[in-house]
DNA sequence: GAGCACTGC
């Protein structure tokens, strides 16, 4: 093991290897973990994993139309050459469109050759269909009904609980119907691990090799080929394929599994399919759901006659579960007869202990447990803290032969894994919602449901994500109690009353009603779907949520809010953000990083922010883990901390063998599989950026470059420290605190930007860095509000001046900057000029070498920065010789001098208004501050570079 | 002085 090394200095310039994927760390990474890991390395039959972005780009065409356009197959030389240059580049999609039109129509011979090839492919696919048998499962009993429904309808809804076998048997019914030949059968799952295991089971039941007739694709892993008949994938993969295959031509059948989960992806796919069906009459869609609410999906997919899609119900193979209500009150008979009984509330922990005790003594349970049959108890709680409290109390009960196990997402892999290990005696597993859908805890006979969960909600008021603890819905309660009826009959105790249960909402709000819609809106705009209000969502989001999504996209420069034509609303930046497989804020950072020359660093940070933290903090060893991780900390930036960690890992990986590296990870509380995912994601982002002709920097970027790029994605997540209240003032009056664990917790710098603001017990900022109001003013120029006070005549500046106040979402960036008032309020300024300069002659006649009104222009280098807060490190160097053409300004004194030299001369190296920001393709400088000169005069900033559209000062860093 | 859960060419 190495001694705490100091993180490396910035990475030296090193040519990038041809493959964008980071070098293999050795090992196959196949250890099973509770969640999240994908099978890596090799397929089951030793087939090498297909590298990302390399080799054939399979399946852009349906198997029966397998011909690929030449422009899709290879990069054309002109595209390759364009890659290095800066400046705007033409949209490739348009080029393809043009090219398609340019292509000469096929000759009859070509057409015939294609027809023959197609028939050959179809015959080969048909011949590859394996023999189909059905195991003894509830769904097998109704397979003929399902087959008939699919044959007769374009859309079929299949409702059935877990254990019915619908997930694995329906693809087989489809194959037997002859589907999967003309196109693939696409089968979506909400989670990667599910996609993989469904494909594995299907391949096993059909007795074929995984990756041949049955394949799967999840992020970073594609175990499917053009010859694959059934492709299982995450719904995100299907969504992403839309970008290249608008009509999903490669599929002849699409199965959307677990639709009741109603994730953002599922809702988007269902809406899209609804629109697609009339264009693809040959396409069959099967939507499967738990038995809750299949009617909603049936009604969504009405046919042309307005008839809802048929629903086929499949019974599940589950055992009866007895529900007992044990509300958290204790009823004692009234002491005086005739008076009502006395109810006293008990706390949740007591309720849990009593419920566990009740189940403990349940008829013969203890005896059965001794015999080794599953008698375990699963307790559902809302979060980590509740789990710890309950665990402490249960441990205190000293139940004989009993193990108490916590289970929540942030637990280390090993800790999560304990619930899958074999054990003797009894177990009480205390879990969050992970155990409701993502993880199946084996051997559960009893459930205790506290009836609450943390639900992610987007706050309309503060535009911030919240995680409030809420009563769960009836559907969720049903799902929880169902977790104990899988191996035998079970008992579920609900720590609330039946009346409480019945009064609860039927379903949890679908994600689309609870989340910021920026990403969905962007994808829809990029796909040319037009008006969001008219998109056929299963449940349409509130228009205010749409407005908020659009607002964020404007903040990111992704859309032009003034463009009325929705097809033209997307900016170049927006089009590129839509291509990048990360959150729009993070994608924005990457594009800004290109201009800053910091793409390599920012890509690493963005990938880290996109995945779960690779740093583990086991419950019992938090101090040791913190100590290990402290080596990487940067005092001013949690982002730099991530870079330090990345550099350390790369260095260790180079020096150690695969197994030694993994040992090191474990010893230093780093999660190997997430590190692999981090590296995979950096590889994927590198590839995608390269496809956009954007290359990473070869020279290491400075911290300022990195943070300026990050800031472009975090403009509404900045904060100004309020010393009195010891908290930060954020956008729209939000007040937040730095989360403990952030390196900035103690230093509390004046200005911070945060990668994530989440409201739990209070509004917390997680992953933060110090920032600079001058940078914010520059990056947020399109969002600033300016106001002016105390206009007066300045003898010294020979012009009207006023005090400027600049705010971003209500956060004061500048409070008392003295600026020229002429362009802001010409009339008042003119009056001041007449009264003071002309009438009172309060004016020094300018000499030939001095300047006049130019200095009083807002944004001219002589206006004081005046940034709020005191720690601004970036005071601009005043440049005394700026000038402007004043002749057209009616309020300016008649005599204006034009000092020679600088004007239109060579660029002043001290000028911060570099061409980078004014001509960059990714940073439109179009902005509409109220201070744009009205007369069209041109402001120069002392070095001759024109800045006519943006009078905001451009500070140096 | 602390955090539900997923997911993308």
């Amino acid at each position: 093991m190495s001694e705490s090394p100091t993180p490396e200095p910035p990475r030296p310039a090193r040519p990038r290897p041809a493959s964008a994927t980071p070098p293999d760390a050795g090992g196959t990474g196949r250890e099973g973990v509770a969640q999240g890991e994908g099978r890596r390395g090799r397929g089951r039959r030793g087939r090498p994993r297909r590298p990302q972005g390399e080799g054939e780009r399979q399946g852009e065409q349906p198997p029966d139309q397998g011909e690929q356009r030449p422009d899709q197959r290879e990069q054309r030389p002109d595209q390759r050459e364009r890659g290095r240059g800066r400046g705007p580049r033409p949209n490739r999609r348009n080029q393809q469109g043009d090219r398609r039109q340019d292509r000469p129509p096929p000759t009859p011979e070509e057409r015939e050759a294609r027809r023959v090839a197609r028939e050959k492919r179809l015959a080969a696919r048909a011949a590859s269909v394996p023999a189909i048998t059905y195991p003894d499962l509830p769904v097998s009993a109704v397979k003929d009904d399902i087959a008939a429904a699919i044959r007769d309808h374009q859309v079929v809804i299949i409702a059935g609980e877990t254990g019915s076998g619908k997930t694995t048997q329906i693809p087989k019914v489809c194959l037997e119907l002859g589907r999967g030949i003309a196109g693939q059968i696409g089968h979506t799952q909400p989670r990667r691990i599910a996609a993989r295991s469904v494909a594995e089971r299907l391949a096993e039941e059909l007795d074929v090799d995984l990756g041949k007739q049955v394949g799967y694709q999840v992020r970073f892993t594609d175990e499917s080929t053009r010859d694959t008949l059934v492709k299982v994938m995450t719904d995100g993969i299907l969504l992403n394929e839309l970008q290249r295959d608008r009509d999903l031509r490669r599929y002849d059948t699409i199965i959307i599994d677990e639709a009741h989960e109603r994730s953002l992806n599922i809702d988007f796919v269902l809406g899209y399919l609804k629109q697609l069906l009339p264009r693809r009459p040959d396409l069959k869609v099967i939507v499967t759901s738990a038995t809750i609410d299949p009617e909603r999906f049936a009604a969504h997919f009405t046919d042309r006659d307005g008839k809802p899609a048929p629903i086929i119900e499949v019974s599940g193979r589950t055992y009866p579960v007895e529900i007992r209500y044990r509300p958290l009150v204790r009823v004692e008979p009234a002491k005086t007869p005739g008076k009502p009984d006395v109810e006293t509330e008990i706390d949740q922990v007591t309720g849990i202990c009593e419920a566990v005790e009740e189940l403990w003594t349940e008829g013969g349970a203890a005896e059965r447990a001794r015999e080794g049959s599953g008698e375990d108890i699963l307790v559902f709680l809302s979060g980590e803290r509740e789990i710890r409290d309950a665990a402490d109390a249960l441990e205190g009960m000293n139940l004989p032969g009993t193990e108490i196990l916590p289970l929540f997402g942030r637990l280390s892999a090993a800790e999560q894994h304990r619930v899958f290990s074999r054990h003797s005696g009894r177990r009480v597993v205390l879990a969050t919602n992970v155990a409701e859908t993502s993880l199946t805890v084996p051997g559960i006979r009893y459930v205790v449901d506290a009836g609450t969960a943390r639900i992610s909600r987007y706050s309309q008021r503060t535009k911030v994500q919240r995680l409030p603890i809420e009563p769960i819905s009836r559907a969720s309660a049903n799902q929880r109690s169902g977790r104990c009826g899988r191996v035998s009959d079970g008992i579920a105790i609900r720590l609330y009353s039946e009346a409480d249960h019945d009064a609860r909402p039927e379903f949890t709000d679908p994600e689309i009603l609870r989340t910021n819609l920026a990403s969905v809106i962007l994808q829809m705009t990029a796909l040319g779907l037009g008006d969001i209000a008219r998109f056929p969502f299963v449940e349409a989001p509130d228009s205010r949520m749409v407005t908020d999504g659009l607002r964020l996209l404007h903040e990111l420069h992704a859309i032009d809010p003034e463009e009325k034509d929705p097809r033209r609303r997307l900016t170049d930046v927006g089009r590129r953000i839509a291509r990048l497989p990360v959150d729009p804020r993070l994608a924005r950072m990457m594009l800004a990083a290109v201009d800053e020359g910091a793409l390599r660093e920012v890509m690493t940070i963005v990938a880290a922010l996109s995945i779960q933290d690779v740093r583990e903090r086991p419950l019992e060893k938090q101090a040791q883990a913190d100590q290990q991780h402290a080596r990487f900390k940067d005092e001013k930036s949690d982002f730099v901390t991530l870079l330090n960690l990345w550099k350390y890992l790369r260095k260790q990986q180079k020096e150690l063998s695969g197994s030694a590296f993994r040992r090191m990870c474990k010893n230093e509380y780093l999660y190997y599989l997430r590190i692999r995912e981090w590296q995979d994601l950096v590889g994927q982002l590198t590839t995608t950026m390269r496809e956009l002709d954007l290359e990473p920097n070869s020279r290491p970027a400075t911290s300022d470059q990195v943070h300026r790029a990050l800031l472009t994605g975090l403009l509404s997540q900045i904060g100004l420290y309020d010393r009195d209240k010891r908290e930060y003032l954020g956008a729209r009056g939000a007040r937040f605190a730095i989360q403990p664990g952030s390196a900035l917790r103690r230093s509390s710098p004046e200005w911070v930007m945060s990668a994530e603001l989440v409201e739990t017990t209070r509004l917390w900022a997680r992953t933060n860095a110090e920032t600079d109001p001058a940078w914010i003013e520059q990056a947020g120029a399109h969002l600033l509000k300016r106001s002016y006070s105390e206009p007066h005549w300045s003898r010294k500046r020979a012009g009207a001046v006023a005090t400027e106040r600049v705010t971003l979402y209500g956060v004061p960036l500048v409070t008392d900057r003295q600026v020229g008032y002429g362009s802001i309020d010409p009339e008042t300024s003119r009056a001041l000029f007449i009264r003071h300069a002309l009438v009172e002659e309060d004016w020094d006649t300018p000499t030939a070498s001095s300047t006049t009104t130019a200095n009083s222009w807002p944004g001219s280098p002589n206006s004081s920065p005046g940034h709020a807060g005191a720690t601004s490190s970036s005071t601009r160097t005043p440049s005394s010789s700026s000038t402007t053409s004043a002749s057209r300004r009616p309020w300016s004194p008649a005599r204006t001098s034009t000092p020679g030299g600088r004007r239109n001369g060579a660029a002043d190296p001290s000028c911060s208004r570099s061409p980078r920001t004014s001509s960059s393709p990714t940073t439109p400088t179009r902005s509409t501050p109220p201070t744009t000169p009205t007369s069209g005069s041109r402001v120069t900033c002392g070095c001759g570079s024109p800045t006519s559209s943006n009078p905001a000062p451009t500070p140096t860093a």
Side-chain angles (χ1 to χ4, degrees):
Chain A
M1 207 192 105
S2 57
E3 303 217 71
S4 336
T6 33
E8 283 180 81
R11 188 185 320 207
R14 191 164 56 84
R16 194 75 189 151
S19 162
T21 315
D24 200 278
T28 55
R30 285 188 67 169
E31 59 270 71
V33 184
Q35 56 168 41
E37 100 276 30
R39 182 141 64 82
R40 308 265 326 226
R42 293 173 179 277
R44 198 168 68 176
R45 305 284 158 170
R47 194 162 62 90
R49 186 169 68 110
R50 179 179 299 131
Q52 298 288 315
E54 207 181 282
E56 61 164 351
R57 190 151 278 232
Q58 56 100 14
E60 289 182 353
Q61 301 289 312
D64 65 323
Q65 297 170 17
E67 146 221 17
Q68 272 182 316
R69 297 197 304 271
D71 53 4
Q72 282 181 314
R73 175 148 283 190
E74 56 198 40
Q75 200 181 28
R76 303 195 316 277
D78 57 333
Q79 288 175 330
R80 218 171 284 150
E81 273 166 32
R82 243 195 0 253
R84 311 293 174 270
R86 289 208 167 155
R89 299 177 185 94
N91 178 359
R92 191 182 291 187
R93 202 180 298 283
N94 291 341
Q95 288 188 338
Q96 281 187 3
D98 298 341
R99 201 179 165 85
R100 226 172 298 160
Q101 284 167 6
D102 294 345
R103 198 174 50 183
T107 62
E109 292 77 28
E110 282 171 344
R111 229 176 289 161
E112 177 60 14
R114 275 183 213 169
R115 194 189 60 79
V116 171
R118 175 174 182 268
E119 275 182 10
K120 246 171 109 178
R121 268 195 307 274
L122 288 185
R125 286 179 74 79
S128 74
V129 176
I132 290 163
T133 55
Y134 294 92
D136 179 26
L137 281 169
V139 71
S140 306
V142 289
K143 71 177 176 59
D144 294 336
D145 297 345
I146 295 173
I150 294 172
R151 201 167 40 231
D152 300 339
H153 299 88
Q154 199 175 5
V155 182
V156 176
I157 315 296
I158 296 175
E161 298 299 342
T162 343
S164 62
K166 58 185 163 47
T167 298
T168 40
Q169 305 314 309
I170 291 167
K172 288 153 84 177
V173 173
C174 292
L175 278 175
E176 227 177 10
L177 276 171
R179 309 212 60 88
I181 309 299
Q184 293 182 323
I185 297 171
H187 188 162
T188 72
Q189 288 292 320
R191 281 167 286 279
R192 288 188 215 170
I193 198 161
R196 195 187 75 200
S197 69
V198 166
E200 279 169 351
R201 254 161 57 210
L202 203 49
E204 204 174 301
E205 286 187 26
L206 290 170
D207 196 24
V208 297
D209 288 347
L210 184 62
K212 302 265 172 67
Q213 289 99 322
V214 175
Y216 75 94
Q217 187 182 353
V218 296
R219 196 175 200 174
F220 311 127
T221 310
D222 186 359
E223 291 284 345
S224 74
T225 70
R226 266 181 68 183
D227 301 328
T228 295
L229 306 176
V230 181
K231 176 172 144 184
V232 190
M233 65 197 128
T234 49
D235 34 37
I237 296 276
L238 184 70
L239 268 183
N240 226 301
E241 285 180 355
L242 286 178
Q243 290 195 13
R244 277 166 293 121
D245 184 6
R246 301 276 165 106
D247 287 356
L248 296 172
R249 293 261 161 208
R250 62 187 288 186
Y251 301 105
D252 75 355
T253 307
I254 289 174
I255 303 167
I256 308 294
D257 205 11
E258 314 280 3
H260 61 273
E261 286 198 16
R262 300 292 304 279
S263 68
L264 203 54
N265 284 352
I266 287 173
D267 272 21
F268 190 9
V269 167
L270 292 176
Y272 194 87
L273 288 173
K274 164 103 178 162
Q275 278 194 333
L276 175 64
L277 288 171
R279 290 208 302 278
R280 286 285 314 275
D282 58 310
L283 181 71
K284 300 280 188 185
V285 170
I286 297 143
V287 178
T288 87
S289 138
T291 39
I292 53 163
D293 209 23
E295 290 80 12
R296 194 190 289 275
F297 300 115
H300 175 68
F301 287 109
T302 46
D303 63 14
R304 265 174 225 154
D305 307 327
K307 277 206 299 216
I311 300 172
I312 296 180
E313 298 237 12
V314 186
S315 64
R317 177 177 284 177
T318 50
Y319 296 87
V321 175
E322 180 196 340
I323 308 286
R324 297 178 186 170
Y325 291 95
R326 300 282 184 268
L328 296 175
V329 288
R330 190 159 290 149
V331 185
E332 283 161 29
K335 293 199 175 97
T336 38
K339 289 277 172 72
D341 294 346
V342 183
E343 285 193 358
T344 45
E345 281 189 27
I346 58 172
D347 62 22
Q348 180 175 280
V349 172
T350 311
I352 289 167
C353 290
E354 288 180 3
V356 168
E357 207 167 353
E358 176 180 340
L359 294 170
W360 213 254
T361 48
E362 194 65 31
E367 288 73 36
R368 284 199 301 274
R370 237 172 279 135
E371 288 158 21
S373 77
E375 293 290 330
D376 296 348
I377 300 174
L378 176 60
V379 185
F380 282 102
L381 292 150
S382 56
E384 188 177 334
R385 183 183 284 178
E386 290 80 4
I387 287 175
R388 286 176 200 224
D389 291 348
D392 288 346
L394 287 170
E395 298 277 9
M397 286 168 75
N398 288 318
L399 294 162
T402 304
E403 188 182 19
I404 313 288
L405 285 186
L407 177 64
F408 48 90
R410 224 179 48 129
L411 224 44
S412 78
E415 286 170 311
Q416 281 196 12
H417 217 106
R418 285 169 68 192
V419 302
F420 299 102
S421 66
R422 295 184 59 84
H423 63 287
S424 57
R426 294 183 81 172
R427 227 176 225 178
V428 180
V429 178
L430 303 170
T432 61
N433 255 355
V434 254
E436 201 178 296
T437 45
S438 307
L439 286 178
T440 301
V441 184
I444 295 299
R445 182 82 188 273
Y446 308 103
V447 160
V448 177
D449 175 13
T452 52
R454 280 193 189 270
I455 310 277
S456 170
R457 290 195 184 272
Y458 179 76
S459 163
Q460 196 64 54
R461 192 180 59 80
T462 52
K463 320 294 180 203
V464 142
Q465 206 69 28
R466 305 179 58 227
L467 275 176
I469 296 174
E470 294 184 3
I472 57 167
S473 66
R474 280 183 280 155
S476 182
N478 186 44
Q479 177 77 20
R480 286 180 173 188
S481 55
R483 288 276 155 179
C484 66
R486 297 173 69 100
V487 284
S488 64
D489 50 349
I491 299 171
I493 292 183
R494 293 179 178 163
L495 299 180
Y496 43 98
S497 70
E498 189 163 7
D500 179 352
H501 172 265
D502 294 347
R504 292 180 177 208
E506 197 171 2
F507 309 105
T508 312
D509 282 340
E511 195 182 356
I512 197 160
L513 305 181
R514 296 188 278 116
T515 194
N516 186 285
L517 298 171
S519 181
V520 170
I521 296 169
L522 186 67
Q523 297 301 328
M524 290 177 60
T525 314
L527 288 167
L529 297 183
D531 192 357
I532 292 111
R534 286 211 301 262
F535 185 78
F537 283 114
V538 178
E539 264 163 280
D542 191 293
S543 65
R544 284 170 302 179
M545 297 285 272
V546 175
T547 310
D548 273 358
L550 290 168
R551 183 203 52 76
L552 176 54
L553 291 174
H554 173 227
E555 177 181 316
L556 301 177
H557 275 310
I559 54 162
D560 178 357
E562 276 157 44
E563 175 60 59
K564 291 286 169 258
D565 182 353
R567 281 164 303 179
R568 296 174 55 193
R569 201 179 256 185
L570 209 59
T571 63
D572 279 345
V573 171
R575 207 164 287 117
R576 289 173 184 176
I577 291 178
R579 286 284 302 274
L580 292 166
V582 285
D583 180 87
R585 283 185 187 276
L586 302 180
R588 178 69 188 93
M589 296 173 185
M590 285 170 53
L591 295 175
V594 174
D595 298 328
E596 287 284 357
L599 179 56
R600 190 178 297 276
E601 289 80 2
V602 169
M603 225 156 36
T604 305
I605 293 167
V606 160
L609 296 175
S610 302
I611 59 171
Q612 288 177 287
D613 200 332
V614 302
R615 291 164 291 188
E616 292 197 310
R617 261 186 118 222
L619 279 179
E620 312 300 330
K621 296 186 177 150
Q622 301 197 343
Q624 291 98 311
D626 288 347
Q627 197 188 349
Q628 287 285 346
H629 301 155
R631 292 173 289 165
F632 311 113
K633 278 212 170 162
D634 180 279
E635 286 200 355
K636 289 184 169 182
S637 168
D638 297 329
F639 304 104
V640 173
T641 300
L642 292 169
L643 284 180
N644 292 340
L645 176 56
W646 173 264
K647 285 171 198 156
Y648 172 68
L649 290 171
R650 296 311 291 259
K651 185 162 167 275
Q652 293 297 307
Q653 211 164 21
K654 236 180 264 169
E655 290 170 2
L656 300 174
S657 72
S659 55
F661 179 72
R662 275 151 73 167
R663 245 189 338 269
M664 178 222 87
C665 289
K666 200 163 180 250
N667 291 336
E668 302 182 7
Y669 303 100
L670 300 165
Y671 188 6
Y672 173 73
L673 287 173
R674 285 188 195 151
I675 293 168
R676 289 299 303 263
E677 185 160 350
W678 190 5
Q679 296 173 338
D680 277 343
L681 187 49
V682 169
Q684 188 188 21
L685 294 176
T686 308
T687 306
T688 315
M689 290 300 272
R690 198 161 281 160
E691 282 167 14
L692 294 168
D693 293 336
L694 301 170
E695 294 287 333
N697 45 307
S698 46
R699 281 173 40 202
T702 65
S703 167
D704 281 3
Q705 287 172 307
V706 169
H707 288 95
R708 273 196 302 263
L710 297 177
L711 176 64
T712 59
L714 303 176
L715 285 169
S716 50
Q717 293 172 188
I718 55 153
L720 168 63
Y721 195 56
D722 181 336
R723 292 230 169 267
D724 300 334
K725 296 188 176 161
R726 302 180 67 174
E727 62 184 9
Y728 283 86
L729 169 65
R732 303 175 191 86
R735 298 247 161 205
F736 64 81
I738 304 281
Q739 190 153 327
S742 167
L744 279 69
R745 175 75 188 176
R746 291 207 178 159
S747 57
S748 295
E750 199 81 35
W751 287 93
V752 296
M753 56 180 176
S754 175
E756 203 181 352
L757 290 178
V758 183
E759 187 185 317
T760 52
T761 48
R762 64 182 296 183
L763 188 55
W764 294 105
R766 177 194 159 186
T767 316
N768 311 293
E770 189 176 345
T771 189
D772 185 320
W775 295 352
I776 301 170
E777 196 179 349
Q778 184 178 15
H782 56 305
L783 307 164
L784 300 179
K785 288 223 165 75
R786 296 169 188 276
S787 60
Y788 300 90
S789 57
E790 298 161 14
H792 61 276
W793 178 255
S794 164
R795 181 192 179 103
K796 202 172 122 211
R797 298 171 65 148
V801 296
T803 304
E804 185 182 44
R805 181 182 163 86
V806 182
T807 60
L808 173 64
Y809 295 126
V811 183
L813 299 176
V814 173
T815 47
D816 55 354
R817 177 190 282 155
Q818 293 299 307
V819 295
Y821 199 51
S823 61
I824 299 145
D825 185 347
E827 235 161 79
T828 307
S829 300
R830 190 175 194 180
L832 284 170
F833 168 68
I834 290 168
R835 192 164 77 224
H836 295 280
L838 299 186
V839 179
E840 298 173 9
E841 295 191 354
D842 184 14
W843 182 31
D844 298 327
T845 310
T847 61
S849 61
S850 74
T851 55
T852 55
T853 55
N855 287 350
S856 58
W857 272 68
S860 79
N862 266 5
S863 46
S864 69
H867 286 122
T871 59
S872 168
S873 59
S874 68
T875 356
R876 282 149 51 309
T877 322
S879 153
S880 61
S881 55
S882 87
T883 182
T884 181
S885 157
S887 57
R888 275 174 290 173
R889 265 185 281 137
W891 61 88
S892 62
R895 280 174 289 170
T896 310
S897 68
T898 307
R902 284 278 174 73
R903 192 176 186 189
N904 298 328
D908 180 351
S910 72
C911 172
S912 62
R913 215 183 285 278
S914 71
R916 164 170 58 73
T917 48
S918 53
S919 67
S920 140
T922 54
T923 316
T925 50
R926 219 186 62 73
S927 60
T928 50
T931 53
T932 308
T934 49
S935 59
S937 39
R938 200 176 68 137
V939 187
T940 61
C941 76
C943 68
S945 55
T947 57
S948 62
S949 66
N950 185 0
T954 312
T956 47

